[in-house]
Amino acid sequence: MNQQLTDEQETLTSPRPGSARTVVWVVGCFVLAGLVAGLVWWKIIDPPYFVRTSQGAVMDQAQLGRRVQADGWFMVLGVVGGLLGALVLVRRFERAPLLTLLLGCLASVGGGLLALGLGTTLGHSDVKSLARTAKTGAHIPDSLGVISHLVLVAWPIGFLVGAVAILWGTRPRHHDSYRDDS
C-alpha cells in the first residue's frame, strides 16, 4: 500500500516523458550554463597581446601560448557545464532517458555556442585601430576567442559522460507483476 501510494505521488510530481516541460528544462538549463560559462571564461582569461613595432604588430611565443590557454579553459568550462547539465537533467527526467540524452546533446552545443558568443563579444578588442594609433613598443590586447571551434565538442562530451555515469549507476525500477504480501 505504501509503495503504491509513493508511486502515485511520484507520477503526479514528475514530468511526463516527451512533454514540452522537458524541452524547456533542457534548453533553459543549457542557456543558463552557457551564460555563466561565457561570463566566467571572459573573466578568467587574460587575452594575449600584440607588441607594436615599426613594421606593424607582432605576437611572441608566450602570447601565442596564452591564446591556446583560452581554448583550454573554454573546454574545461564546457566539460563542467555538460557534467552539471547531466547531473540536473538526467536525474530530473529519468523516466525519459533517451529524450533527455538527445535534447541534452543538442542543447549543450547551443550552450557552448552561447558561451562562445558571449565571451567573444565581451572580450572584443578592435586590434587594427588600436595598432594604428599605438606607439612603438605598446601592448595591444587581442580579442578573446578560440583557435578552433572544435572546442565546442567539449559540451556534449561532458554531458554524455555525466549522463552515462548517472544512468549506469542508477538502479532500474522494476514493478513486479506479483506481490508477496506474506
Side-chain angles (χ1 to χ4, degrees), residues 6-74:
T6 57
D7 286 344
E8 289 173 10
Q9 288 173 344
E10 185 177 326
T11 303
L12 293 174
T13 59
S14 66
R16 291 178 315 202
S19 68
R21 182 189 236 169
T22 306
V23 174
V24 169
W25 262 91
V26 171
V27 170
C29 181
F30 279 108
V31 164
L32 180 64
L35 290 172
V36 170
L39 287 171
V40 169
W41 185 53
W42 169 65
K43 282 302 221 182
I44 65 172
I45 294 299
D46 191 18
Y49 59 83
F50 293 93
V51 176
R52 178 73 166 114
T53 64
S54 58
Q55 287 84 25
V58 295
M59 185 179 288
D60 65 8
Q61 204 167 21
Q63 297 308 310
L64 289 173
R66 287 172 66 185
R67 184 178 258 183
V68 172
Q69 187 180 30
D71 283 29
W73 275 109
F74 187 85

Side-chain angles (χ1 to χ4, degrees), residues 18 26 30-31 42 45 70-72 91 97 119 134 140 145 150 159 161 175 182:
V26 171
F30 279 108
V31 164
W42 169 65
I45 294 299
D71 283 29
R91 284 283 186 204
I140 304 162
L150 285 176
F159 179 78
V161 167
H175 295 286
S182 52

Side-chain angles (χ1 to χ4, degrees), residues 65-152:
R66 287 172 66 185
R67 184 178 258 183
V68 172
Q69 187 180 30
D71 283 29
W73 275 109
F74 187 85
M75 288 178 62
V76 167
L77 291 169
V79 168
V80 169
L83 286 171
L84 289 175
L87 180 67
V88 170
L89 297 169
V90 173
R91 284 283 186 204
R92 176 141 176 88
F93 299 103
E94 65 184 17
R95 289 184 173 212
L98 186 59
L99 177 67
T100 306
L101 284 173
L102 291 174
L103 287 173
C105 285
L106 291 173
S108 64
V109 172
L113 287 169
L114 181 62
L116 182 62
L118 181 62
T120 55
T121 300
L122 293 173
H124 178 71
S125 177
D126 190 7
V127 178
K128 287 183 182 180
S129 67
L130 289 173
R132 277 188 236 122
T133 60
K135 296 180 181 179
T136 302
H139 291 190
I140 304 162
D142 192 13
S143 292
L144 179 61
V146 294
I147 296 170
S148 172
H149 283 84
L150 285 176
V151 296
L152 290 168

